[in-house]
Amino acid sequence: SSPFCSPPFAWASASVEGMSAKAKVSFKITLASEKGQPFKVITVPEEAPFLACLKFAAEEFKVAAATSAVITNEGVGINPNQTAGQVFLKHGADLKLIPRDRVGCA
């Protein structure tokens, strides 16, 4: 089949023969608890566990990963027990990290 007849985005999951080219996704993760709204952009393989992304982002912001949550800009909580690719497709690239010790009641 011709590469020009492939469905849109078919290239995203295609691997190049002889190379270990893997599809990647990028997230812009904003630390919601800070006034300046600092953010980090992380790029990971789409099959990476999203929990690993959450842990990495928490470490980058120097907050506890075990007590942090990731939400969308609309406030929807994201289950970390899925792949980065699944999160990207469902929620997009723009996410917020919230240290749970600063959210809700004690």
Side-chain angles (χ1 to χ4, degrees), residues 27 29 42-60 65-66 70 79-84 87 97:
F27 296 104
I29 301 178
I42 63 170
T43 302
V44 297
E46 65 179 21
E47 69 273 5
F50 190 70
L51 185 58
C53 301
L54 185 156
K55 287 179 179 179
F56 178 78
E59 287 173 13
E60 289 290 302
V70 176
N79 179 355
N81 297 320
Q82 51 191 329
T83 67
V87 171
L97 180 72

Side-chain angles (χ1 to χ4, degrees), residues 7-98:
F9 305 112
W11 54 268
S13 60
S15 63
V16 179
E17 193 171 332
M19 297 175 70
S20 60
K22 299 277 186 185
K24 295 185 184 268
V25 293
S26 293
F27 296 104
K28 176 186 172 190
I29 301 178
T30 303
L31 184 59
S33 61
E34 296 292 321
K35 263 193 188 340
Q37 299 277 302
F39 68 90
K40 303 277 184 189
V41 176
I42 63 170
T43 302
V44 297
E46 65 179 21
E47 69 273 5
F50 190 70
L51 185 58
C53 301
L54 185 156
K55 287 179 179 179
F56 178 78
E59 287 173 13
E60 289 290 302
F61 287 120
K62 296 177 176 48
V63 297
T67 58
S68 295
V70 176
I71 62 169
T72 66
N73 283 334
E74 293 77 33
V76 176
I78 296 174
N79 179 355
N81 297 320
Q82 51 191 329
T83 67
Q86 289 170 319
V87 171
F88 182 82
L89 288 174
K90 288 180 194 170
H91 304 289
D94 207 4
L95 306 173
K96 291 184 179 183
L97 180 72
I98 298 185

